[in-house]
Amino acid sequence: MNIATAITRFSMASIAGSIISVGLNPAVVYAFVTPVSSSLRLEANSNAGSGLVTDTYTDSQFKTINSLGAAVAALATSGNASVLSQAQVTSIWKNSYEGVVTFTDVGWKTINVNSGLANLYGGLDWSYEFIADTTGFLTMDYDVKESGTSTFGLNAFLFNWSKPGGDAAFLPNTSGTIERTIYAGQTYTVGLKNFANISGGLGTREAMMSGTFKWKIVSVPEPTTILTSLIIAGGFGVVRHRKNKHSQKAIIKDS
């Protein structure tokens, strides 16, 4: 291998290594979306055999991004039988393009129920409507857990998306990330809704579900930004090559 070939390969390897270190995707650029509205609406329904008991709670806002919170609890009794359905949720916006939604104690406690029901999916739970100022992506990290003596009926949290890409289900004891594309100038609504419900001979049982959902909206990097990153990466490679080249000359001269 001649010296020119060796230097060329060394330079390309240095540049490639720098690109991997810097990344083809520059630092995350958040999209400054315009909030339209957001809301929490929980609904709990219970029946221990003598009729339906319902509790609802709504918290909403228009064009602002204040923290929201809601909690419901519906207790139904029939003789020595009882059903308690309950749920809590909070929504915190760090800004218009990033936040976290936390559900806790979504479920029920039943005692001696021969025929009854508990359901919590009657509300809209959480929704956020916004206008995308730039083209990019909405990503949501989810972590769903369940606990109790019998967790049948908790089912899932449903991810609702108003545009192509569609809805999804986040099952208990799963975690991951979901992504949807957004386009500048369009209005989007993202939502979360629990699907917890059970009916029949409930007996004595307890089941609870929780979920943490961290979301953010990021823009697609401009081509010039990507090019700048590549140029910087290439520059790092050239500097490294020149430094090594001088070192090699010094060694040859001394020998």
Side-chain angles (χ1 to χ4, degrees), residues 122-245:
L124 297 175
D125 289 11
W126 175 78
S127 66
Y128 177 39
E129 182 181 11
F130 62 90
I131 301 172
D133 297 342
T134 58
T135 296
F137 302 95
L138 178 141
T139 64
M140 178 178 286
D141 298 329
Y142 63 91
D143 185 11
V144 179
K145 292 181 171 59
E146 66 179 5
S147 62
T149 58
S150 175
T151 58
F152 176 80
L154 291 177
N155 297 321
F157 284 101
L158 303 181
F159 172 87
N160 298 317
W161 184 244
S162 61
K163 296 290 186 177
D167 303 339
F170 303 145
L171 302 177
N173 298 325
T174 64
S175 60
T177 302
I178 192 168
E179 183 179 274
R180 293 292 183 264
T181 304
I182 63 171
Y183 295 97
Q186 294 196 24
T187 301
Y188 296 86
T189 301
V190 57
L192 292 166
K193 177 180 174 63
N194 86 84
F195 201 63
N197 71 96
I198 192 171
S199 62
L202 305 182
T204 299
R205 68 178 68 202
E206 181 176 348
M208 294 293 164
M209 181 168 60
S210 64
T212 302
F213 306 90
K214 298 178 181 179
W215 58 270
K216 60 186 176 184
I217 304 169
V218 298
S219 62
V220 175
E222 295 292 335
T224 53
T225 304
I226 297 175
L227 179 59
T228 300
S229 296
L230 291 174
I231 292 172
I232 293 172
F236 288 156
V238 170
V239 169
R240 287 171 57 188
H241 163 63
R242 287 179 177 172
K243 182 178 180 180
N244 289 340
K245 184 177 179 181

Side-chain angles (χ1 to χ4, degrees), residues 60-121:
S60 61
Q61 58 188 335
F62 182 65
K63 293 186 177 181
T64 57
I65 49 173
N66 300 314
S67 297
L68 300 177
V72 291
L75 176 62
T77 60
S78 179
N80 66 346
S82 65
V83 175
L84 172 64
S85 301
Q86 61 187 38
Q88 298 181 49
V89 60
T90 60
S91 179
I92 298 174
W93 279 260
K94 293 182 179 180
N95 37 60
S96 65
Y97 49 82
E98 185 179 15
V100 59
V101 183
T102 306
F103 287 85
T104 56
D105 297 329
V106 179
W108 44 75
K109 299 177 181 178
T110 72
I111 300 175
N112 301 325
V113 178
N114 294 321
S115 179
L117 68 81
N119 75 58
L120 294 144
Y121 67 90

Side-chain angles (χ1 to χ4, degrees), residues 11-91:
S11 298
M12 293 306 295
S14 299
I15 293 172
S18 299
I19 290 173
I20 291 171
S21 300
V22 174
L24 289 177
N25 292 321
V28 173
V29 179
Y30 292 99
F32 290 91
V33 302
T34 301
V36 177
S37 64
S38 55
S39 67
L40 298 176
R41 184 181 185 278
L42 295 180
E43 180 178 314
N45 295 284
S46 299
N47 190 338
S50 297
L52 188 67
V53 176
T54 300
D55 185 28
T56 61
Y57 190 95
T58 301
D59 195 2
S60 61
Q61 58 188 335
F62 182 65
K63 293 186 177 181
T64 57
I65 49 173
N66 300 314
S67 297
L68 300 177
V72 291
L75 176 62
T77 60
S78 179
N80 66 346
S82 65
V83 175
L84 172 64
S85 301
Q86 61 187 38
Q88 298 181 49
V89 60
T90 60
S91 179

